[in-house]
Amino acid sequence: MKAKRILVTGGAGFIGSAVIREIINNTEHSVVNVDKLTYAGNLESLLPVNNNARYYFEQADICNSDKIKYILQKHEPEIIIHLAAETHVDRSISEPYEFIQTNIIGTYVLLEKAKDYWKNLKISKKNNFRFLHVSTDEVYGDLNGKANVLFTEETPYAPSSPYSATKASSDHLVRAWHRTFKFPTIITNCSNNYGPYQFPEKLIPLVIFNALEGEKLPVYGNGKQIRDWLYVEDHANALLHVALTGEISETYNIGGNNELQNIEVVKTICRTLDKLMPSKFEGIKKYEQLITYVTDRAGHDIRYGINTTKINKRLNWYPKEIFSTGVEKTVEWYLNNMNWCKKIKNRIN
Ligand code: NAD
């Protein structure tokens, strides 16, 4: 395949940086990273590829239409993978404004500017152009009480949180831009990601960080909420695969087939840490002793579960990692990168 120029929004974030590392390390394609660098964006996550001649960075807010237009004309991408978003559910409950702004308005601005750019491309480039919108399984709502049911691409949308409602809105905009303007879009809806370089307000890095500092490990409600966990490098690989081989107008669910209760996830991390970095804190023999149940998140969904048959069968894509191997790699990574962790933890407010 001829090397392509891929524009990634949100490339300084957790998943976006994994996508960029995947492209630079494992392909011949080049990348333009468009990121505003919010508290969640961190260029240090890109140090492994920063000096590569196929990597470019543009600091920009996706809500800024002039800047987005300029970047598209300057770099002439053949594919856009749109990940930039506000992503932390708790923050969407306390301060939803930025979620409406970036996730809905930002996606609208990006779609409009990308559509204008695409319309003026020469016919061969126009025919090969793709806009991949990266979304979440949370748009489908809660599977509580539906033990054997999984989200398929046909599951109706029923978002519960301000975060998932803004992601659902952006998915609808993307579909409308395809249907109305024939703009060549694809959507993916993915389950919970875990792995290296995740901002430590999210469950898995939070538990690792707090345990290593002998702090409480907060678990919402009774901890029995179920999520499907996907290793971030598997997700990055899936996104590139969908961007290059997916069908225009289609939606693909991406998941790891690793459904686990939050409390099981926390206990697995504790056991992994017991093995790799035994507690040196007085009175704490096992990290599990630090687990503390806290008041549940408002509107918390009980269960998400993903049916991945479509991406498995139609695009022949499968994850490589299972949770037990992925979590061990993840804990090892955080233990080996405590400087990255300490610097970024100072940003939590
Ligand atoms: P993240 O919070 O780690 O990173 C988001 C990135 O977007 C940051 O680098 C931030 O600086 C950038 N950004 C935010 N607002 C911006 C704006 N207005 N303009 C330009 N850049 C901006 O997020 P993540 O976990 O990497 O998630 C990436 C995408 O994947 C999101 O769209 C999210 O909804 C989706 N997703 C995430 C998960 C998950 O488990 N993390 C699961 C499914 C889908």
Side-chain angles (χ1 to χ4, degrees):
M1 180 186 290
K2 194 176 147 283
K4 292 187 185 281
R5 178 158 299 191
I6 303 174
L7 186 148
V8 173
T9 70
F14 169 48
I15 302 171
S17 68
V19 170
I20 293 177
R21 293 190 302 272
E22 164 82 13
I23 295 172
I24 296 297
N25 292 335
N26 299 328
T27 78
E28 296 301 313
H29 306 303
S30 58
V31 188
V32 183
N33 174 14
V34 177
D35 199 296
K36 181 182 172 184
L37 298 182
T38 67
Y39 78 96
N42 184 10
L43 290 179
E44 287 192 26
S45 306
L46 291 158
L47 284 181
V49 299
N50 204 24
N51 293 325
N52 191 294
R54 288 180 288 120
Y55 170 71
Y56 309 83
F57 175 61
E58 296 278 2
Q59 183 165 4
D61 185 338
I62 55 165
C63 300
N64 182 336
S65 62
D66 290 343
K67 189 104 188 245
I68 295 300
K69 180 178 172 187
Y70 164 79
I71 290 169
L72 289 167
Q73 281 170 350
K74 177 176 165 193
H75 293 283
E76 299 184 352
E78 290 151 294
I79 291 176
I80 295 177
I81 305 181
H82 173 37
L83 296 113
E86 287 293 334
T87 61
H88 191 44
V89 177
D90 289 342
R91 286 180 192 256
S92 82
I93 294 168
S94 54
E95 286 173 61
Y97 177 80
E98 285 298 332
F99 288 73
I100 308 281
Q101 202 56 29
T102 288
N103 300 2
I104 304 178
I105 307 292
T107 299
Y108 154 71
V109 168
L110 188 66
L111 279 169
E112 265 302 88
K113 292 298 125 190
K115 175 184 63 107
D116 292 347
Y117 159 78
W118 162 78
K119 263 185 7 202
N120 292 318
L121 288 174
K122 290 204 182 100
I123 192 75
S124 65
K125 285 202 163 177
K126 197 173 175 183
N127 287 343
N128 288 318
F129 185 84
R130 298 284 181 279
F131 181 102
L132 170 58
H133 174 66
V134 180
S135 190
T136 165
D137 61 353
E138 299 189 30
V139 298
Y140 299 124
D142 194 352
L143 286 174
N144 190 21
K146 301 176 189 165
N148 297 317
V149 179
L150 293 169
F151 299 136
T152 71
E153 288 78 0
E154 275 73 49
T155 302
Y157 276 30
S160 306
S161 70
Y163 163 67
S164 53
T166 61
K167 290 299 290 186
S169 307
S170 64
D171 294 8
H172 291 318
L173 290 175
V174 171
R175 282 199 184 89
W177 257 243
H178 172 69
R179 168 97 188 204
T180 308
F181 307 110
K182 306 283 175 281
F183 184 55
T185 63
I186 304 174
I187 297 176
T188 55
N189 295 89
C190 185
S191 61
N192 277 37
N193 284 218
Y194 68 100
Y197 299 103
Q198 187 168 27
F199 196 80
E201 62 189 354
K202 306 278 169 62
L203 181 69
I204 291 185
L206 178 82
V207 167
I208 299 172
F209 281 27
N210 283 14
L212 291 175
E213 293 188 1
E215 289 174 16
K216 289 179 180 167
L217 309 180
V219 172
Y220 279 134
N222 60 10
K224 294 199 171 158
Q225 307 85 353
I226 295 172
R227 303 289 181 261
D228 171 53
W229 292 92
L230 178 68
Y231 193 61
V232 68
E233 289 174 12
D234 277 331
H235 189 195
N237 177 269
L239 291 177
L240 187 60
H241 190 61
V242 173
L244 294 169
T245 66
E247 289 275 324
I248 289 172
S249 86
E250 291 291 336
T251 294
Y252 299 92
N253 282 350
I254 307 175
N257 303 315
N258 289 299
E259 271 190 50
L260 290 166
Q261 291 184 344
N262 284 348
I263 189 66
E264 293 175 78
V265 170
V266 173
K267 288 184 174 175
T268 306
I269 295 167
C270 289
R271 284 194 295 273
T272 311
L273 279 171
D274 288 337
K275 196 170 65 176
L276 298 178
M277 179 72 78
S279 162
K280 51 181 182 344
F281 302 104
E282 214 183 306
I284 306 292
K285 281 210 168 83
K286 302 236 173 255
Y287 288 107
E288 275 189 35
Q289 290 169 252
L290 295 168
I291 292 173
T292 310
Y293 293 93
V294 299
T295 310
D296 207 352
R297 170 190 281 163
H300 209 172
D301 288 335
I302 303 297
R303 177 173 164 253
Y304 305 136
I306 281 250
N307 178 328
T308 60
T309 309
K310 183 170 172 182
I311 190 167
N312 297 153
K313 296 274 181 306
R314 294 216 202 153
L315 301 187
N316 192 25
W317 182 88
Y318 296 85
K320 292 199 183 86
E321 218 62 63
I322 54 169
F323 190 74
S324 57
T325 55
V327 87
E328 185 133 350
K329 276 167 102 166
T330 303
V331 172
E332 273 174 3
W333 186 87
Y334 284 101
L335 289 174
N336 291 330
N337 290 274
M338 284 315 284
N339 281 342
W340 180 91
C341 302
K342 282 189 182 130
K343 264 193 219 164
I344 201 164
K345 202 175 176 209
N346 291 335
R347 295 203 213 158
I348 299 179
N349 52 40

